[in-house]
Amino acid sequence: MSHNSFGHLFRVTTWGESHGPAIGCVVDGCPSRIAITAEEIQKDLDRRRPGQSKFTTQRREPDQISILSGVFEDPETGDQVTTGTSIGLMIQNTDQRSKDYGDIAERYRPGHADYTYDEKYGIRDYRGGGRSSARETAMRVAAGAIARKVVPDIIIRGALVQMGPHKINRANWDWNEVNNNPFFCPDKEAASLWADYLEDIRKKGSSIGAVIEVVASNVPAGLGAPIYAKLDQDLASAMMSINAVKGVEIGNGFEAACLTGEENADEMRMGPDGKPVFGSNNAGGVLGGISSGEDVVVRFAVKPTSSILTPRRSITRSGEEVDVMTKGRHDPCVGIRAIPVGEAMMACVLADHTLLHRAQQGG
Amino acid sequence: MSHNSFGHLFRVTTWGESHGPAIGCVVDGCPSRIAITAEEIQKDLDRRRPGQSKFTTQRREPDQISILSGVFEDPETGDQVTTGTSIGLMIQNTDQRSKDYGDIAERYRPGHADYTYDEKYGIRDYRGGGRSSARETAMRVAAGAIARKVVPDIIIRGALVQMGPHKINRANWDWNEVNNNPFFCPDKEAASLWADYLEDIRKKGSSIGAVIEVVASNVPAGLGAPIYAKLDQDLASAMMSINAVKGVEIGNGFEAACLTGEENADEMRMGPDGKPVFGSNNAGGVLGGISSGEDVVVRFAVKPTSSILTPRRSITRSGEEVDVMTKGRHDPCVGIRAIPVGEAMMACVLADHTLLHRAQQGG
Amino acid sequence: MSHNSFGHLFRVTTWGESHGPAIGCVVDGCPSRIAITAEEIQKDLDRRRPGQSKFTTQRREPDQISILSGVFEDPETGDQVTTGTSIGLMIQNTDQRSKDYGDIAERYRPGHADYTYDEKYGIRDYRGGGRSSARETAMRVAAGAIARKVVPDIIIRGALVQMGPHKINRANWDWNEVNNNPFFCPDKEAASLWADYLEDIRKKGSSIGAVIEVVASNVPAGLGAPIYAKLDQDLASAMMSINAVKGVEIGNGFEAACLTGEENADEMRMGPDGKPVFGSNNAGGVLGGISSGEDVVVRFAVKPTSSILTPRRSITRSGEEVDVMTKGRHDPCVGIRAIPVGEAMMACVLADHTLLHRAQQGG
Amino acid sequence: MSHNSFGHLFRVTTWGESHGPAIGCVVDGCPSRIAITAEEIQKDLDRRRPGQSKFTTQRREPDQISILSGVFEDPETGDQVTTGTSIGLMIQNTDQRSKDYGDIAERYRPGHADYTYDEKYGIRDYRGGGRSSARETAMRVAAGAIARKVVPDIIIRGALVQMGPHKINRANWDWNEVNNNPFFCPDKEAASLWADYLEDIRKKGSSIGAVIEVVASNVPAGLGAPIYAKLDQDLASAMMSINAVKGVEIGNGFEAACLTGEENADEMRMGPDGKPVFGSNNAGGVLGGISSGEDVVVRFAVKPTSSILTPRRSITRSGEEVDVMTKGRHDPCVGIRAIPVGEAMMACVLADHTLLHRAQQGG
């Protein structure tokens, strides 16, 4: 049992605080002879990196990844490959501005984990959110880059499908649009509207929530387990472990509550290649905890960051009533940067279940 | 790693198929000297038992629980108490009507796990859903009855808050109403409307989805962990592992995506007893993965059962295209019986995290 | 984390006390479509069963195993096979003579776990040793019978190689002799001498320790892991978890401490079939935690049972000084019945590592 | 399940190869507000460091530890204390002489894990033993230093009790002598003889095995678990996971096999302070898997290093027969440096079981 690990066989253990000397993780259980370079991991990290548009925090986090163990040059191919041993990854923290943290140390920011950490541990590293900083998610993205290599045939893509009350028009969905706007939005029209909407939020020093959808295509049928360690259960666990996530759904999710059995059933027919095809995918690619071969679809809701310029009422560590305003460089919509993180968690869960599935196949 | 276990320290492992000789579970990690009787467990099981109204399946499942190990008479109190060793629980299956399963063996019921089990395992016990039957949840309820004893001060209650498209009016919420109607509905007016609505569904041999809310009150601050094994993460995992659940949310959940940081923040003030009080509970009692002392609130969506009288298109094991209709005694709204299960999972997660929390407290 | 489970992927969870209604276990992670019957399991159990000679306890334990879940008739072969779901196994306890346990309840038997259980839990089921009874090992043997089916090519055999101070002559080793004497002794001459020696011990109401050796042949190279979850580490853990075991060694074990590097090295040459052959097997088939293809050899020491007729000084639960003598039907050399248990644990560890190994092989 | 982690709740995950850029570990589950500094960890590491006498390898490994996360200044005491989050530790590798590894890459050194790694993974980092290097044990010592702080009242000490065939005289045991000789030997006379004996071994470029004893005093009764996760089982697992260990025993260990029940029983009496006292400690402080309050005593056998100057017959990766001689700076008796490692593993196991024990105590 670990408080800082995720996964059954493809297992990621993270460490590090926002303003400590470094953050890192250990990836255990990765099969050997998988080609991987720091550059490939860096590419995924760069998608998550802040400061890429005015809509994400202006902190400078170059987030330069180092692979410290678990790889070696393949004598046959010359590629750097995994050796099957634990992979140590690290990012040095560089943007640790020296400043006075006196206020944060004492004041509990509403919506943050300040109070609960103090209640649990009696102490906390308050600098920049410490362990609770979204900075920890950089290591998820790094581990996810390796996970993708474990399941190279699976395509994992994420998109922002709702910003505040504004949903995309699904008829406009175009994966190619996702990288054409600063929101990872698949609907060109929505992206355009969101730009104005979010600029307004940003200027006010406010923040807004969002919904992210992550889709895995080309997932083989048979991943998962029937009762616990269900594929959808592990996905729910993975997504809910991301900072600020308050809800997770698979396939049509909460919409399923409104449907009749007739409406909700995904009918089956034989496809031209002798494989079953489903007429719909309300199930989101998971039946009874096991993948069906359809796209695995998960959505999660991210709350607005609690770091806002408008003062909120709160208390101090010693019980004094105060107003708290969070100055600094914050994301007006943290959901944007959660997309690479959601993709990474999907990759980790699918890599993990791929290994579990192999374990149970006859020799 | 187990495919049939749940929990870190308070750990439940279930076994058994719908139409096998028995179902059971092992509860590991329960502290010693906790008074528990089969009657107490039975009481919780009876709330989940089918056949209690016309709105749940008419199968007869007396579900008589036996405690086979892990308890002993306390020499001081004379009570039957836990001994700290593994608790074996079992229910004999009695209502196994002998019948011809030939059809079910071959035909994949849409929305069920028939196809995915076959893809994964190459074989399945198709009688009554086998391992995927909701019957497995009886053991969750049994384990949950023990879990409640581990956290006796915490009050755990569940309610049906939405049936199909019909939500309750939260202004009418009255916990006392929950046991006055066959739906565990806290809104008397809604319950009355639902009776007609569901009767119509039932008569048509159709089915409908639902949303369940489970609330834990009197939870101490400090339960949970910051990154993985977050309290809300484990609750999401727990609820998503229940059959037919497609979505989970904590506190205001998906609604948080629509809010600004100002709206979503739960402000704090000092209470009359020198303890912090929160002005709202959008967070659902969990901040940064750790309980805040506020009510822990989780909701989950249950899809309509796929066992309906209207034929749906499907295929057989051998690839033939067929129409499938599921005769038999089924629940028109399986969400109803999921309430005691959701409560039990909440109890298990809270018991588990209570033990984890104790572990980390100084000697 | 479970206090009553063993194994990583092939995972066994046991429950039950000596004099409760039943004992049982759950086997999780077993691949599907493995043919297994209760009769096959029973055969292994019968080798462990007491009362087969005058040298084992005369208790009647028919130990009739039931498979309660996880198996189904294969539609193609007609065999009963595993389905990939959790396998529930149970043995009803039948020989529970009603008697007065008052003495045992109060008096701490030296060498038994009476005192430590009370210190830990504040209560214990004292009837027949309760959870600490060797009876629990019946479920290990049952699980081991399934594990053997997971690794059908591996031959696992155990033998008693030392009784009290009397070791076998390894030059006489003959596996065929093992079933020709009541001691599982591979040395015919030693078995003959032991018969007289143990008869004397038995008549005096005394007891004696022993050393067991378990050998697995035809183990493929590559099972295990480099640092933790080493194959030899998991074997040490498995054997040390058996009641009364006080020491474990792999290959030449403690003898290695006396050797020089030149003496201890197992030299390698190419065999006629193009595979490496080792000139010796001091390593016991494990190098760096990973199997080498040589026989995996483990030995463990079993202490004499503390249940003897000669009174020993002890104390009561309430702190009174007393003399304790253990009447009843006990094994003069419990090591004898530990052999099928040691074999079973070897089978479980090898099945477990076989699954782990598969998980890490490329798709 | 992790291949690179140890412990249930106090959980250590290590990473790094001998000649990679760094080695490190993550300590998860450590309670908060435990004062710890890098200097304290360094002190333990320095005891293990090579090059301290002519009897250990002359490699330069300054082994400078860094604490990268999980600690913070206590606002009340000013001490650096744990925060309850994961503790990242790292040592930069500095003594990586650039040299030609061509030979090692191809030739399987007998007794080393070269062949088995290649069989398992198809690739290995052969530089200096890669992941299998004893260098990994530095991180165990570092984690052990933290573990000791979790159980500050327990005294953990190790000693070399046998070098090759030469055992100490237990009558001469003096813990104060342990730090007066380069062998951690508690018997002054034996240490003197060993100096000559080992000098001879060293000069010949040979190596010799050893036996280490680790003793934990002041362990409270009640640590451990009855069936699996037994205290002695976890100690066996811990010690057997150390490089080159081939045998583990608890208390009188294999000697118990030679004793009668009368001889082996540890009789109990009431002590002057109203607590039980044991007349002997054959059990090594563990009864039924649970600590008795007596000293916990574990011994383990370390084989001679296989790196010797005398050529041994072996094969190459491509199946050619060769003679292998291992030049370089090696320990003539690796058992010596295993003592701080054994102590650290004892500390980790006891810290882990202390946390587990707390978890099961009533609120």
Side-chain angles (χ1 to χ4, degrees):
Chain A
M1 196 276 137
S2 162
H3 304 79
N4 293 283
S5 300
F6 187 77
H8 306 287
L9 286 182
F10 185 89
R11 190 161 172 84
V12 182
T13 302
T14 74
W15 55 268
E17 276 82 38
S18 172
H19 284 56
I23 59 171
C25 76
V26 187
V27 178
D28 178 274
C30 185
S32 63
R33 302 191 77 171
I34 291 179
I36 186 81
T37 63
E39 289 68 33
E40 288 171 297
I41 299 173
Q42 193 66 48
K43 216 173 124 186
D44 277 16
L45 278 171
D46 288 349
R47 292 182 64 226
R48 177 203 157 276
R49 198 178 54 195
Q52 305 197 87
S53 82
K54 63 184 170 184
F55 299 118
T56 54
T57 169
Q58 297 305 301
R59 277 194 305 275
R60 290 271 169 278
E61 296 178 357
D63 281 3
Q64 192 67 41
I65 194 81
S66 300
I67 308 180
L68 299 175
S69 69
V71 295
F72 203 63
E73 190 189 286
D74 189 314
E76 279 141 46
T77 64
D79 289 340
Q80 176 173 284
V81 299
T82 57
T83 60
T85 62
S86 48
I87 303 171
L89 302 174
M90 188 170 71
I91 294 174
Q92 306 273 359
N93 287 333
T94 53
D95 188 26
Q96 305 159 241
R97 301 194 182 180
S98 66
K99 64 173 180 179
D100 176 15
Y101 287 102
D103 255 24
I104 295 181
E106 284 302 311
R107 292 171 179 225
Y108 294 141
R109 295 167 299 162
H112 279 289
D114 303 341
Y115 167 67
T116 53
Y117 267 59
D118 260 3
E119 280 295 301
K120 183 169 192 70
Y121 298 116
I123 188 170
R124 73 195 148 91
D125 179 346
Y126 43 75
R127 301 168 303 164
R131 182 68 178 144
S132 265
S133 164
R135 193 150 174 64
E136 187 267 348
T137 61
M139 298 321 302
R140 301 178 185 227
V141 173
I146 299 175
R148 284 181 198 258
K149 293 298 206 94
V150 175
V151 289
D153 295 336
I154 299 177
I155 299 156
I156 297 165
R157 292 179 290 196
L160 203 72
V161 296
Q162 182 180 338
M163 180 185 288
H166 306 296
K167 299 188 182 186
I168 60 159
N169 178 350
R170 286 189 167 257
N172 294 343
W173 193 297
D174 179 356
W175 280 115
N176 294 320
E177 280 303 319
V178 162
N179 293 316
N180 290 341
N181 61 70
F183 312 114
F184 301 99
C185 177
D187 172 0
K188 195 175 177 172
E189 289 175 27
S192 169
L193 295 169
W194 292 357
D196 293 339
Y197 174 73
L198 193 57
E199 176 64 5
D200 186 50
I201 297 272
R202 192 183 70 80
K203 280 186 180 159
K204 285 191 284 196
S206 182
S207 65
I208 191 71
V211 176
I212 285 92
E213 181 165 321
V214 180
V215 180
S217 304
N218 216 18
V219 178
L223 303 189
I227 300 299
Y228 305 100
K230 281 175 163 156
L231 183 60
D232 39 357
Q233 174 188 7
D234 282 354
L235 284 169
S237 175
M239 300 311 171
M240 197 66 99
S241 77
I242 302 172
N243 303 43
V245 172
K246 298 305 286 182
V248 183
E249 55 184 13
I250 307 289
N252 59 2
F254 276 88
E255 176 67 17
C258 303
L259 301 182
T260 64
E262 291 79 6
E263 294 162 336
N264 193 58
D266 298 320
E267 296 184 304
M268 298 173 80
R269 275 293 179 248
M270 291 307 294
D273 62 347
K275 280 191 154 183
V277 289
F278 289 81
S280 53
N281 188 19
N282 289 320
V286 187
L287 286 167
I290 301 172
S291 64
S292 67
E294 292 290 294
D295 282 1
V296 174
V297 180
V298 61
R299 265 182 311 284
F300 56 94
V302 178
K303 72 175 184 183
T305 182
S306 307
S307 299
I308 48 177
L309 286 181
T310 307
R312 296 283 95 185
R313 294 188 301 169
S314 189
I315 58 171
T316 65
R317 194 177 155 92
S318 48
E320 196 189 348
E321 300 195 335
V322 289
D323 276 12
V324 172
M325 185 185 80
T326 318
K327 279 175 273 187
R329 300 155 295 168
H330 298 288
D331 287 290
C333 179
V334 284
I336 298 172
R337 288 174 58 214
I339 286 161
V341 182
E343 291 176 2
M345 296 310 280
M346 172 72 90
C348 287
V349 169
L350 290 172
D352 193 21
H353 276 279
T354 296
L355 301 190
L356 281 170
H357 190 59
R358 282 180 198 160
Q360 297 208 282
Q361 302 309 300
Chain B
M1 196 276 137
S2 163
H3 305 79
N4 293 281
S5 299
F6 188 77
H8 305 287
L9 285 182
F10 185 89
R11 190 161 171 85
V12 182
T13 302
T14 75
W15 55 268
E17 276 83 38
S18 173
H19 284 57
I23 59 172
C25 76
V26 187
V27 178
D28 179 273
C30 185
S32 63
R33 303 192 77 170
I34 291 179
I36 187 80
T37 63
E39 289 68 34
E40 288 171 298
I41 299 174
Q42 194 65 48
K43 217 172 126 187
D44 277 15
L45 279 170
D46 288 349
R47 292 182 64 226
R48 177 202 158 277
R49 200 177 54 195
Q52 305 198 88
S53 82
K54 63 182 170 184
F55 299 118
T56 55
T57 171
Q58 297 305 301
R59 277 194 305 275
R60 291 269 170 278
E61 297 178 358
D63 281 4
Q64 192 68 42
I65 194 82
S66 301
I67 307 180
L68 298 175
S69 69
V71 294
F72 202 63
E73 191 188 287
D74 188 315
E76 278 141 46
T77 63
D79 289 340
Q80 176 173 283
V81 299
T82 57
T83 60
T85 63
S86 50
I87 303 170
L89 301 175
M90 189 171 69
I91 294 173
Q92 305 273 0
N93 287 333
T94 52
D95 187 26
Q96 306 160 239
R97 301 196 183 178
S98 67
K99 64 171 180 180
D100 178 14
Y101 288 103
D103 256 24
I104 294 180
E106 285 302 311
R107 292 171 179 226
Y108 294 141
R109 296 166 298 161
H112 279 289
D114 302 343
Y115 167 67
T116 53
Y117 267 59
D118 262 3
E119 280 294 302
K120 183 170 191 72
Y121 297 116
I123 188 169
R124 73 196 148 92
D125 179 347
Y126 44 76
R127 301 167 304 164
R131 181 68 178 142
S132 264
S133 164
R135 193 150 175 64
E136 187 267 349
T137 60
M139 299 320 304
R140 300 176 185 229
V141 173
I146 299 174
R148 284 181 197 258
K149 292 300 206 91
V150 175
V151 288
D153 295 336
I154 299 177
I155 299 156
I156 297 166
R157 293 178 290 196
L160 204 71
V161 296
Q162 182 180 339
M163 181 185 288
H166 307 295
K167 299 188 183 187
I168 60 160
N169 177 351
R170 288 191 165 254
N172 294 343
W173 194 298
D174 179 356
W175 280 115
N176 294 321
E177 278 304 318
V178 161
N179 294 317
N180 289 343
N181 60 72
F183 312 114
F184 300 99
C185 177
D187 171 359
K188 195 176 178 173
E189 289 175 27
S192 169
L193 295 168
W194 293 357
D196 294 338
Y197 174 72
L198 193 58
E199 176 64 4
D200 186 49
I201 297 272
R202 192 184 69 81
K203 280 188 180 157
K204 286 192 283 198
S206 182
S207 64
I208 192 70
V211 176
I212 285 91
E213 181 165 321
V214 180
V215 179
S217 305
N218 216 19
V219 178
L223 302 189
I227 300 298
Y228 305 100
K230 280 175 165 157
L231 183 60
D232 40 358
Q233 174 189 8
D234 283 354
L235 284 168
S237 175
M239 300 311 171
M240 197 66 99
S241 78
I242 302 173
N243 304 42
V245 172
K246 298 305 287 182
V248 183
E249 54 184 13
I250 307 290
N252 59 1
F254 277 87
E255 176 67 16
C258 304
L259 301 183
T260 62
E262 291 78 6
E263 293 162 338
N264 193 58
D266 298 319
E267 296 185 304
M268 298 175 78
R269 275 292 177 250
M270 292 307 294
D273 62 348
K275 281 191 155 185
V277 289
F278 288 81
S280 53
N281 189 18
N282 289 319
V286 187
L287 286 167
I290 302 171
S291 64
S292 67
E294 291 292 292
D295 282 1
V296 175
V297 180
V298 61
R299 267 181 310 284
F300 55 95
V302 178
K303 71 177 183 182
T305 182
S306 307
S307 299
I308 48 177
L309 286 181
T310 308
R312 295 284 95 183
R313 294 188 299 169
S314 189
I315 59 171
T316 66
R317 192 177 157 92
S318 48
E320 196 188 349
E321 300 195 335
V322 290
D323 276 11
V324 173
M325 184 185 81
T326 318
K327 280 176 272 188
R329 301 154 295 167
H330 297 289
D331 287 289
C333 178
V334 283
I336 298 172
R337 288 174 59 214
I339 287 162
V341 182
E343 291 175 2
M345 295 311 279
M346 172 72 91
C348 286
V349 170
L350 290 173
D352 193 22
H353 276 279
T354 297
L355 300 191
L356 281 171
H357 189 61
R358 281 180 199 159
Q360 297 209 281
Q361 301 310 299
Chain C
M1 196 277 136
S2 162
H3 305 78
N4 294 281
S5 299
F6 188 77
H8 306 286
L9 285 182
F10 185 88
R11 190 160 171 86
V12 182
T13 302
T14 74
W15 55 268
E17 277 83 37
S18 173
H19 284 57
I23 59 171
C25 76
V26 187
V27 178
D28 178 274
C30 186
S32 65
R33 303 192 76 169
I34 291 179
I36 187 79
T37 63
E39 289 69 34
E40 288 172 296
I41 299 174
Q42 194 64 48
K43 217 172 125 187
D44 276 16
L45 278 170
D46 288 349
R47 292 182 65 226
R48 178 203 157 277
R49 198 177 54 194
Q52 306 199 86
S53 82
K54 63 182 171 185
F55 298 118
T56 54
T57 170
Q58 298 304 302
R59 278 194 304 274
R60 291 271 170 276
E61 296 178 358
D63 281 3
Q64 193 67 42
I65 194 82
S66 300
I67 307 180
L68 298 176
S69 70
V71 294
F72 203 64
E73 191 187 285
D74 189 315
E76 278 140 46
T77 64
D79 289 340
Q80 176 173 283
V81 299
T82 56
T83 60
T85 62
S86 50
I87 303 171
L89 301 174
M90 188 172 69
I91 295 173
Q92 306 272 0
N93 287 333
T94 53
D95 187 27
Q96 307 160 239
R97 302 195 182 177
S98 66
K99 63 172 181 179
D100 177 15
Y101 288 102
D103 255 25
I104 295 179
E106 285 302 313
R107 293 170 178 225
Y108 293 142
R109 295 165 300 161
H112 279 288
D114 303 342
Y115 167 67
T116 53
Y117 267 60
D118 261 4
E119 279 294 302
K120 183 171 192 70
Y121 297 116
I123 188 170
R124 74 196 148 92
D125 179 347
Y126 45 74
R127 302 166 302 163
R131 182 70 178 142
S132 265
S133 164
R135 195 153 172 63
E136 187 267 349
T137 62
M139 298 322 302
R140 301 177 184 226
V141 173
I146 298 174
R148 284 180 197 259
K149 293 299 206 91
V150 175
V151 288
D153 295 337
I154 298 178
I155 300 156
I156 297 166
R157 293 178 292 197
L160 204 72
V161 297
Q162 182 180 339
M163 180 184 287
H166 307 295
K167 300 188 182 186
I168 61 159
N169 178 350
R170 289 193 164 252
N172 295 341
W173 193 298
D174 180 356
W175 280 115
N176 294 320
E177 279 303 318
V178 160
N179 293 317
N180 289 342
N181 61 70
F183 312 114
F184 300 99
C185 177
D187 171 359
K188 194 176 179 173
E189 288 176 27
S192 169
L193 295 168
W194 292 358
D196 293 339
Y197 173 74
L198 193 57
E199 177 63 5
D200 186 49
I201 298 273
R202 191 183 70 81
K203 280 186 179 157
K204 285 192 284 197
S206 182
S207 65
I208 192 70
V211 177
I212 285 91
E213 181 165 321
V214 179
V215 180
S217 304
N218 216 19
V219 178
L223 302 188
I227 300 299
Y228 304 101
K230 281 175 163 157
L231 184 58
D232 40 358
Q233 174 189 7
D234 282 354
L235 284 169
S237 175
M239 301 310 171
M240 197 65 99
S241 78
I242 303 172
N243 304 42
V245 172
K246 299 303 287 182
V248 183
E249 53 185 15
I250 307 290
N252 59 2
F254 276 88
E255 176 67 17
C258 303
L259 301 183
T260 62
E262 292 79 6
E263 293 163 338
N264 192 58
D266 297 320
E267 295 185 305
M268 299 175 79
R269 276 291 178 250
M270 291 307 294
D273 61 348
K275 280 193 155 182
V277 289
F278 288 81
S280 54
N281 189 18
N282 289 319
V286 187
L287 285 167
I290 301 172
S291 64
S292 67
E294 293 290 293
D295 282 2
V296 174
V297 180
V298 61
R299 267 183 309 286
F300 56 94
V302 178
K303 71 176 184 181
T305 182
S306 307
S307 299
I308 48 177
L309 286 181
T310 308
R312 296 283 95 184
R313 294 188 299 170
S314 189
I315 59 171
T316 65
R317 193 178 157 92
S318 48
E320 196 190 349
E321 300 195 335
V322 289
D323 277 11
V324 172
M325 185 184 79
T326 318
K327 280 177 272 189
R329 301 155 295 169
H330 297 290
D331 287 290
C333 178
V334 283
I336 297 172
R337 288 174 58 212
I339 287 162
V341 182
E343 291 175 2
M345 294 311 279
M346 172 73 90
C348 287
V349 170
L350 290 172
D352 193 22
H353 276 279
T354 296
L355 300 191
L356 281 172
H357 190 60
R358 281 181 199 158
Q360 297 208 284
Q361 302 309 300
Chain D
M1 196 276 138
S2 162
H3 304 79
N4 293 282
S5 299
F6 188 77
H8 306 286
L9 285 182
F10 185 90
R11 191 162 171 84
V12 181
T13 302
T14 74
W15 55 268
E17 277 82 38
S18 173
H19 285 57
I23 59 172
C25 76
V26 187
V27 178
D28 178 273
C30 185
S32 64
R33 302 193 76 171
I34 291 179
I36 186 81
T37 63
E39 289 68 35
E40 288 170 298
I41 299 174
Q42 194 65 48
K43 216 172 126 187
D44 277 15
L45 278 170
D46 288 348
R47 291 182 64 225
R48 178 202 157 276
R49 198 177 55 194
Q52 306 197 86
S53 81
K54 63 182 170 184
F55 299 118
T56 55
T57 170
Q58 297 305 301
R59 277 193 305 276
R60 291 268 170 279
E61 296 178 357
D63 282 3
Q64 193 68 41
I65 194 82
S66 300
I67 306 180
L68 299 175
S69 69
V71 295
F72 202 64
E73 191 188 286
D74 189 315
E76 278 140 47
T77 64
D79 289 339
Q80 177 173 283
V81 299
T82 57
T83 59
T85 63
S86 49
I87 304 171
L89 301 175
M90 187 172 71
I91 294 174
Q92 306 273 359
N93 287 333
T94 53
D95 188 26
Q96 305 159 241
R97 298 194 184 179
S98 64
K99 66 172 179 178
D100 176 15
Y101 288 101
D103 255 25
I104 295 179
E106 284 302 311
R107 293 171 178 224
Y108 293 142
R109 295 165 300 162
H112 279 289
D114 303 341
Y115 168 67
T116 53
Y117 266 61
D118 261 2
E119 281 294 302
K120 184 169 192 71
Y121 297 116
I123 188 171
R124 75 197 146 90
D125 179 348
Y126 43 77
R127 300 167 303 163
R131 182 70 177 142
S132 265
S133 163
R135 194 150 173 65
E136 187 267 349
T137 61
M139 298 320 303
R140 301 177 184 228
V141 173
I146 299 174
R148 285 180 197 259
K149 293 299 206 92
V150 175
V151 288
D153 294 336
I154 299 178
I155 300 156
I156 297 167
R157 293 179 290 196
L160 203 72
V161 297
Q162 183 180 338
M163 180 185 288
H166 307 296
K167 299 188 182 185
I168 60 158
N169 178 350
R170 288 190 165 256
N172 294 343
W173 193 298
D174 179 356
W175 280 114
N176 294 319
E177 280 302 319
V178 161
N179 293 316
N180 289 341
N181 60 71
F183 312 114
F184 299 99
C185 177
D187 171 0
K188 193 175 179 173
E189 289 175 27
S192 169
L193 295 168
W194 292 357
D196 293 338
Y197 173 73
L198 193 58
E199 177 64 6
D200 186 50
I201 298 272
R202 191 183 69 81
K203 280 186 179 160
K204 285 191 285 196
S206 181
S207 65
I208 192 70
V211 176
I212 285 90
E213 182 165 321
V214 180
V215 180
S217 303
N218 216 19
V219 177
L223 302 189
I227 300 299
Y228 304 100
K230 281 174 163 156
L231 184 59
D232 39 358
Q233 174 189 7
D234 283 354
L235 284 169
S237 175
M239 300 310 171
M240 196 65 99
S241 77
I242 302 172
N243 303 43
V245 172
K246 299 303 287 182
V248 183
E249 54 185 14
I250 306 290
N252 59 1
F254 277 87
E255 176 67 17
C258 302
L259 302 182
T260 63
E262 291 80 6
E263 293 162 337
N264 193 58
D266 297 320
E267 296 185 305
M268 298 173 80
R269 276 293 179 248
M270 291 306 292
D273 61 348
K275 280 193 153 182
V277 290
F278 288 81
S280 53
N281 189 19
N282 289 319
V286 187
L287 286 166
I290 301 170
S291 64
S292 68
E294 293 289 294
D295 282 1
V296 174
V297 180
V298 61
R299 265 183 309 286
F300 55 95
V302 178
K303 71 176 185 182
T305 181
S306 306
S307 299
I308 48 177
L309 286 181
T310 308
R312 296 283 95 185
R313 295 188 299 170
S314 189
I315 58 171
T316 65
R317 194 176 156 94
S318 48
E320 196 188 348
E321 299 194 335
V322 289
D323 277 11
V324 173
M325 186 184 79
T326 317
K327 280 176 272 186
R329 301 154 295 167
H330 297 289
D331 287 289
C333 179
V334 283
I336 297 171
R337 288 174 57 214
I339 286 162
V341 182
E343 291 175 3
M345 295 309 281
M346 172 72 91
C348 287
V349 170
L350 290 172
D352 193 23
H353 276 279
T354 296
L355 300 191
L356 281 171
H357 190 60
R358 281 180 200 160
Q360 297 208 283
Q361 302 309 300

